[in-house]
């Protein structure tokens, strides 16, 4: 069918690839305006825009969809035959006037098992909370934040070694597949989300990244994995910020933040319960390094102590 696609990051781009490969005609792609990125802070197109241009699809990058001219552009695509708008991590609110335009409305690819983790950061929040599984819902969009009825859903387990990057990739693949299945079956019966079990995945704030060594090692393991690759779990040592990229909970006992043991493979740091064995670190302005390379320039020894944040 003819359709409109709205999305911005790689999660969205993978869905767009799958939709095109399935033979659907994407007549318009909406994506966020180009943003400065990289060392030179030059304007960079979003992954979704890059895929659209490579496929010869028209791209529209409004600052908002509330303006009459933006809504008119979407309405023109609908008048040209677009029967549905597929939305994936777009980043702009769709007003009711836009939601009502396509014949099949707007459907969203959301990376959680709704109603758990409505909102902006469902992948990170599921990891941080220690959820055993997560998944993707194809949802009929309405005015509320991820409140619409579910058309199709798929679950997958969260592995003990998953971080936000690896779980993102699994969910992006699942979301792309489910979206194509949903498009082939429209119109689908819609199942209202239950009122029980609603949680909100608030946007990640960089201030959350700071490691509090008074927490249990199990919780800090999830913290490190949830904030990899963004913004990176941050610890303070001798007045410097050190990012922790890879760690695992181990047995250990000591004052929170105290280095219990150091070898070429790991630095073991005491937590409120147990200890965290860190195997990949990064000093501010440096590269991510395995412990043996990090120690060559930044010696750590048993008895040293990472800072514990003020309560």
């Amino acid at each position: 069918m003819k359709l409109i696609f709205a999305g911005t990051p790689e999660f969205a781009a993978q869905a767009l690839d799958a939709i095109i490969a399935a033979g659907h005609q994407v007549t318009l792609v909406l994506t966020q305006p180009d943003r400065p990125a990289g060392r030179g802070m030059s304007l960079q197109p979003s992954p979704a825009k890059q895929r659209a241009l490579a496929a010869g699809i028209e791209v529209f990058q409004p600052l908002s969809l509330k303006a009459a001219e933006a809504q008119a552009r979407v309405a023109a695509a609908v008048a040209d035959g677009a029967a549905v708008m597929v939305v994936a991590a777009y980043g702009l609110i769709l007003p009711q006037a836009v939601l009502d335009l396509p014949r099949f409305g707007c459907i969203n690819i959301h990376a959680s098992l709704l109603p758990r983790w409505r909102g902006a950061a469902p992948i990170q929040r599921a990891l941080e909370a220690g959820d055993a599984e997560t998944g993707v819902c194809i949802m009929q969009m309405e005015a509320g934040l991820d409140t619409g009825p579910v058309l199709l859903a798929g679950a997958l387990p969260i592995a003990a070694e998953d971080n936000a990057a690896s779980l993102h990739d699994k969910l992006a693949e699942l979301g792309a597949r489910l979206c194509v299945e949903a498009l082939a079956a429209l119109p689908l019966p819609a199942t209202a989300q239950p009122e029980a079990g609603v949680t909100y995945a608030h946007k990640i704030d960089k201030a959350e990244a700071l490691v509090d060594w008074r927490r249990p090692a199990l919780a800090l393991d999830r913290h490190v994995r949830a904030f990899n690759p963004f913004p990176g779990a941050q610890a303070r040592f001798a007045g410097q910020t050190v990012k922790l990229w890879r760690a695992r909970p181990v047995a250990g006992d000591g004052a929170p933040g105290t280095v219990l043991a150091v070898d070429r493979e790991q630095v073991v740091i005491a937590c409120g319960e147990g200890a965290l064995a860190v195997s990949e670190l990064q000093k501010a302005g440096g590269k991510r390094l395995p412990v043996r390379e990090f120690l060559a320039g930044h010696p750590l020894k048993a008895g040293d102590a990472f800072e514990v944040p003020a309560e």
Side-chain angles (χ1 to χ4, degrees), residues 43-161:
L43 290 178
Q44 299 293 323
S46 72
K49 178 179 179 178
Q50 293 177 46
R51 302 293 219 289
L53 294 178
I57 300 168
E58 182 180 350
V59 174
F60 181 42
Q61 297 176 272
L63 291 173
S64 166
L65 286 173
K66 295 178 181 178
E69 55 268 30
Q71 294 181 15
R73 185 64 197 87
V74 176
V78 171
D80 189 41
V84 66
M85 182 189 293
V86 175
V87 181
Y90 177 31
L92 288 184
I93 293 173
L94 272 61
Q96 194 64 49
V98 172
L99 295 174
D100 292 339
L101 282 170
R103 177 159 54 102
F104 293 121
C106 300
I107 63 173
N108 181 47
I109 308 171
H110 185 77
S112 81
L113 297 175
L114 294 166
R116 188 161 177 78
W117 303 129
R118 294 174 178 171
I123 297 173
Q124 293 91 337
R125 299 306 180 192
L127 279 165
E128 192 179 25
D131 291 1
E133 68 170 5
T134 186
V136 170
C137 286
I138 307 299
M139 175 194 70
Q140 191 77 48
M141 295 181 71
E142 55 184 35
L145 176 65
D146 299 328
T147 57
V150 174
L151 307 179
L152 200 60
L156 57 78
I158 298 178
E161 66 276 7

Side-chain angles (χ1 to χ4, degrees), residues 16 24 45 51 53 63 87 89 95 99 144 152 165 174 176-177 181 217 244 265 287 289:
L16 179 59
H24 296 290
R51 302 293 219 289
L53 294 178
L63 291 173
V87 181
L99 295 174
L152 200 60
L174 176 61
R177 178 168 58 80
E181 287 182 24
L244 313 179
E265 302 301 324
K287 297 180 179 179
L289 297 172

